[in-house]
Amino acid sequence: MTDRKILLIGTAAAIGVLAGGALFLTMRPGDDQFAQCGSSSVAGGMDAFGTPFTLTRDDGQRVTDQDVFDKPTLLYFGYTFCPDVCPLDSARNAEAEALLTEAGEDVQTVFVTVDPRRDTPEVLADYTELFSDRMIGLTGSDEEIAAVNKGWRNYFKLNDEEDQEYYLVDHMTNTYLVMPGGKTVEFFSRETTPEQIAETVACYADASA
């Protein structure tokens, strides 16, 4: 399969997944300490997102959710072979992180793979370094990755029936804001700008101080 064909297929798949993600998640004002920050929610509340986990960090170390979420974190699920969507979203998240760092906020970005077969710790380390030295890559076994994606209601599907090497992966593209201790309080769609993300994250960080 040519690179151009892969790119075209990936773009089409991404559009379909984005549409599904937009229908799945809805917005409404929050009703807790973060209400002034424009909290996002779904049926059951944002508390329905998240799960304890143990995964492998891009330096090869096994880490838990408590190890990872020690500061406000922009959490994204994707894969390094993604032709265009994941790189753009990762760059956007890294830009938001840079804006927050410049403003004196201590934040980080986390990239959890939906493709553990190809995304080894070494591959993730090379990928995350392209965007930010504060971006953490996480991988694990098929079962561990399935469980953590389920915890954040992140749909994904490997399209590897005909090609076990150059396959694409359908997945949702929301970015989640997870506060220290693992509480998910917000999500951002692909249309959210770095500046909007930075402003919202700063609000949550200040409200939790």
Side-chain angles (χ1 to χ4, degrees), residues 1-203:
M1 183 179 292
T2 66
D3 290 344
R4 178 175 176 78
K5 187 175 181 181
I6 290 174
L7 179 61
L8 291 174
I9 294 174
T11 302
I15 292 172
V17 172
L18 290 175
L23 291 173
F24 180 72
L25 296 174
T26 58
M27 304 287 290
R28 66 175 174 82
D31 54 4
D32 56 15
Q33 72 183 98
F34 301 123
Q36 73 273 19
C37 301
S39 178
S40 303
S41 188
V42 294
M46 290 303 295
D47 286 344
F49 288 82
T51 184
F53 62 74
T54 299
L55 295 172
T56 303
R57 199 167 54 197
D58 50 23
D59 61 0
Q61 296 296 310
R62 295 285 283 173
V63 293
T64 68
D65 54 299
Q66 294 301 306
D67 297 324
V68 173
F69 299 129
D70 60 351
K71 62 190 67 176
T73 300
L74 292 173
L75 172 65
Y76 184 82
F77 296 88
Y79 66 114
T80 64
F81 193 71
C82 184
D84 55 358
V85 174
C86 299
L88 290 174
D89 290 350
S90 296
R92 186 274 311 267
N93 290 348
E95 185 176 348
E97 175 206 289
L99 291 171
L100 286 157
T101 300
E102 290 174 6
E105 300 287 356
D106 186 17
V107 300
Q108 66 184 358
T109 50
V110 169
F111 183 95
V112 177
T113 184
V114 295
D115 183 22
R117 183 191 310 168
R118 293 180 295 189
D119 286 344
T120 64
E122 295 78 13
V123 170
L124 282 172
D126 290 341
Y127 182 84
T128 56
E129 286 175 4
L130 296 172
F131 304 101
S132 168
D133 58 7
R134 292 168 64 85
M135 184 178 290
I136 297 171
L138 295 175
T139 187
S141 67
D142 290 345
E143 294 76 15
E144 289 168 344
I145 292 300
V148 73
N149 275 271
K150 182 178 179 180
W152 269 272
R153 302 189 185 184
N154 184 64
Y155 166 83
F156 73 100
K157 179 181 183 297
L158 277 64
N159 298 302
D160 58 350
E161 295 83 1
E162 297 181 2
D163 191 330
Q164 292 289 307
E165 186 176 3
Y166 296 109
Y167 57 88
L168 297 171
V169 183
D170 298 334
H171 64 96
M172 293 178 68
T173 57
N174 300 294
T175 292
Y176 300 92
L177 173 58
V178 185
M179 300 301 288
K183 179 179 175 61
T184 303
V185 296
E186 182 68 272
F187 68 85
F188 305 100
S189 70
R190 297 200 70 234
E191 290 72 29
T192 313
T193 67
E195 292 78 12
Q196 289 171 328
I197 292 177
E199 181 179 0
T200 301
V201 173
C203 180

